[in-house]
Structure formats: structure tokens, C-alpha cells
Amino acid sequence: MGLTRVGQVGLLVLDLACLAVSLGRNVGTWPGLGAALVTNTIGGDFINMWSAAKLAALGRLSEIYRPDAFMAFEHGTIPYDIGLRLWAYPPTSLPLIWPLASLDFVIAYVIWSLLGLLVLAVGARRFGFGWLETAVIVLSPAAFSCIQNGQTGNVAAGLLLLALSGRRDGEKLPVLGAALLSIKPQIALLLPVLWLVRRWWRSLLWTVMAVLALIAASVALYGFAPWASYVADSLSVLDELERRGTGPFMDMIPSLFMSLRVLGLPDGPAFLWHLAFAAPVFVFCCWRLLVSREWEAQAAIVLAGAALITPYLHIYDLAPLVAAGLLVLRRSADAGQAARLFAILVVMANAAMPILTFALNVEGVPVSPLLILPLLLMASFAPPKARAVEPAVA
């Protein structure tokens, strides 16, 4: 068995071990799925999605993007201290989540969780990952963290892999994935750069048109008022929370910005230091995308780069790091044994990043960016492969 396959098997074992530990810590305290959801033990953030869908279906649009009114509605469903809650996604998200409004809360959560895993698996397979690699991604700590928090990271990661799966300009499914990612663009910051480098003008044009169609659909259904409230109310509260808020969410963000906040630096200087770090990283990624002609190298850069550039990516959004790590393992197949062993260690550390970030931030040692940076460098400078890997699904 080659070291590349050893690394893949090792990642799968790591996934299963992390899953077993997480379940062992929590399942004994769950009085049942319904009670666990109602008491906010698991799936805590899903209450936001379900409530937004409900309010949209009831025609109470003015309450969705006013945090006080939104939380008042949520407290009618969950009689529990749920902290500050808001629907952070633009009105283009509302037509996409409307089916949840007709479902019981627990059933909606289960269906959403399974849908996220399905989108993640389909994106991985069409991207070109084999079944073992797909299992590594779907069973990763990031994927489990997304389910545990009731979040959107699995769907977003699947859409990003779908957007990266194209081999020709203007393919429909990659354009669809990119257009839907406009709802959560921070996970795909480098995708437009990649398509510009490839001169995929049709993909860019069709994506812009699809995003405009989503905006037009949301205006036709709900009017302009939700957009005005989203910009004036929700975004300002979200920005204030990320910049100056405190609480467990600080332990869930691996960016340099949040690392410096964990160390006690005020938000202003922390953001400036993050910008001074992220700007060169962005320029570096653009350079490597420009000079690299290999599809796998370009994809790995897009997958890994966003985690260092954006200040607000969370641990449940880190499945792209697992995908980038799998590509690094592939591209390290022809390297020396020591280099391949080092690659396995870096890849495994990034696969465990949701657990490491939380543990390190809690302990006041927020060094996640220093663990992600080697992955990006290895993705950028790994030796070229002799054979390109084609997508598994046409």
C-alpha cells in the first residue's frame, strides 16, 4: 500500500475516531433527538433556518431581518437561552429554504442534515474524488460539526466542489454551484480569480446572470423591504458581533483576526493585522493560480486559501480543507518518503482542524492559521502529477 493510500486510510480512521469521541461525549446527555434540539444541545443554529422559513411562509418578512423580532419568534419554539440569533443570509436564501416551513422542526433538521451530506458527497464525486476520499470528506470532523451545529457548511462545501468540477468553460452544474454560493461567498473567495485566470468568460457571465436571477426572484416574491432591512439591520448586528462580541463562537473561528481577539487584542488592531496577513496570502494565491497549469493544484489553492483570507470562516465550514488535503496527498505521491510523511501529518492536522481550533482557542493558544498555512504552501508547490485526474461523474 502506497503512502498516499496510507494517508487516505489514516484520514478515514481519524474521522471515525473523532466521530466516536464526539458521540461518546454527547449522546449520553441526549434525552432524545427532539428534546436535544429543543434544549439547544445539538443543531442549535438550525433554529435560525427553520424560523426564517416559517416567517417567510407566514408573510412576516419584516421580522426575519430584525434580530429582536426574529429572536422573539424563535423563543416561541425553543424555551431556552439561545443567545443572540439572527438570519445572516441575504433574501436570495429564502426561496431556497421555503420547503422547511411545512415540516416539523425535528424532521426538518434531520432532512437538512442528510441533504447537506448528500450535496457534499455529490460535489466530491463529480469533482473527481474516489469513494474512499469521498468517505473521508463526508465523515470528517468538519462535516460532523456542521450537523452538530445545524449549519450550512456541508451544502456550501459541496457546492464549491461542484463549482470546481468543471473542465470546460460554461458547464451548467459548476455555474449552478457558483451561483448558489453567492449566499455564502466567503467560502469561495478565490473561485472568481480561478475562472478569470482560466479565461472562462462564459462561466463568469452565466454565474452573474444566475445570481441576478436569484435576486430578481427574491424581489418578485418578497419585495425590496427585506433587502433594505438585511443591509441596515442584520449586517450591522452581524458585523458588531464578529468584531466585538464574546462567547463560545470565538473558539470556532480559525482566522488570524479571531486568533488575535482570543489573545486579547481589540478588534481594530486585530483586523488590521489580519488584513496585513490576508492581503499577501491573497496575492500569493492569485500568483500561484496564474503560474500553475495543473487543475488539481489550482483547485487545492482555491479550497485551502479561503480559510486564511476570510476573517469569519467557522469550524463547520472547513470541509474544503479536507478536500485540499486529499489533493495534496495525491500530488505528493512522487515525493520522497520524508516529504510524504510530512504531508500526511499536515493533512491530518487540517482534517482535525475543527477540533484543534476549538481546543487551542479555549486554551488561549490560537495557532490555527500556522497549521493551515503549510497546507496552502504544499498545495501550491507540490510536484506536478504525471496524469491528470478526471471527474468521477460526467
Side-chain angles (χ1 to χ4, degrees):
M1 182 185 293
L3 276 180
T4 300
R5 182 52 62 91
V6 169
Q8 294 171 359
V9 173
L11 285 170
L12 185 59
V13 172
L14 176 67
D15 286 352
L16 296 175
C18 292
L19 182 61
V21 170
S22 296
L23 289 175
R25 287 179 175 176
N26 294 292
V27 74
T29 65
W30 294 351
L33 179 58
L37 285 164
V38 169
T39 58
N40 208 39
T41 308
I42 62 171
D45 290 341
F46 183 73
I47 179 63
N48 296 331
M49 183 180 299
W50 188 82
S51 297
K54 277 287 186 181
L55 286 170
L58 293 171
R60 295 161 60 178
L61 298 168
S62 63
E63 299 175 46
I64 296 177
Y65 293 108
R66 288 192 294 112
D68 54 344
F70 190 66
M71 287 188 62
F73 178 82
E74 290 184 315
H75 278 298
T77 302
I78 294 186
Y80 185 81
D81 183 10
I82 58 176
L84 177 62
R85 298 278 173 170
L86 70 162
W87 183 239
Y89 299 91
T92 46
S93 64
L94 299 179
L96 303 177
I97 64 173
W98 69 263
L100 299 176
S102 61
L103 300 174
D104 173 79
F105 181 63
V106 175
I107 294 174
Y109 167 75
V110 172
I111 291 176
W112 174 254
S113 299
L114 294 175
L115 177 64
L117 293 179
L118 177 62
V119 173
L120 185 57
V122 170
R125 287 294 291 154
R126 193 181 195 279
F127 178 84
F129 285 120
W131 284 112
L132 177 59
E133 294 169 311
T134 299
V136 167
I137 297 172
V138 170
L139 295 173
S140 66
F144 178 75
S145 175
C146 181
I147 293 175
Q148 191 174 28
N149 287 279
Q151 264 289 342
T152 60
N154 286 342
V155 170
L159 291 175
L160 178 57
L161 290 171
L162 187 67
L164 288 169
S165 70
R167 302 298 189 276
R168 296 178 303 277
D169 186 15
E171 290 185 49
K172 294 179 181 178
L173 285 178
V175 165
L176 175 63
L180 293 177
L181 277 173
S182 63
I183 295 171
K184 195 167 186 171
Q186 67 267 35
I187 202 172
L189 286 174
L190 293 168
L191 181 63
V193 178
L194 173 61
W195 284 1
L196 283 171
V197 166
R198 291 179 177 175
R199 299 182 181 180
W200 283 12
W201 311 122
R202 285 187 297 169
S203 293
L204 288 166
L205 176 61
W206 282 112
T207 299
V208 170
M209 292 179 65
V211 172
L212 291 177
L214 287 174
I215 295 173
S218 70
V219 172
L221 288 170
Y222 310 120
F224 288 100
W227 279 98
S229 184
Y230 170 67
V231 173
D233 299 323
S234 291
L235 287 184
S236 61
V237 172
L238 181 63
D239 180 68
E240 180 71 17
L241 173 65
E242 297 287 359
R243 282 179 170 272
R244 300 182 179 87
T246 58
F249 85 95
M250 295 179 65
D251 302 321
M252 301 173 68
I253 300 178
S255 68
L256 180 63
F257 169 72
M258 195 56 68
S259 297
L260 294 174
R261 282 206 59 211
V262 168
L263 292 175
L265 201 65
D267 64 288
F271 185 79
L272 290 177
W273 278 108
H274 178 89
L275 185 62
F277 170 74
V281 170
F282 178 77
V283 172
F284 169 81
C285 290
C286 293
W287 168 57
R288 293 309 303 171
L289 288 174
L290 184 63
V291 301
S292 176
R293 297 302 175 187
E294 280 202 288
W295 162 77
E296 280 192 2
Q298 291 178 327
I301 292 167
V302 172
L303 289 164
L308 290 172
I309 296 171
T310 178
Y312 299 140
L313 214 62
H314 292 71
I315 60 176
Y316 43 72
D317 299 317
L318 298 183
L321 289 182
V322 184
L326 289 168
L327 293 178
V328 166
L329 287 182
R330 285 182 176 184
R331 292 172 54 78
S332 301
D334 299 326
Q337 184 170 352
R340 283 183 288 170
L341 286 172
F342 180 71
I344 290 174
L345 292 175
V346 170
V347 169
M348 293 186 76
N350 278 269
M353 192 57 63
I355 296 173
L356 289 177
T357 295
F358 192 86
L360 291 169
N361 284 15
V362 166
E363 295 298 324
V365 191
V367 296
S368 295
L370 299 180
L371 300 176
I372 299 173
L373 184 59
L375 181 69
L376 176 61
L377 294 175
M378 295 179 75
S380 303
F381 292 111
K385 285 176 60 69
R387 180 178 60 87
V389 177
E390 294 301 321
V393 180

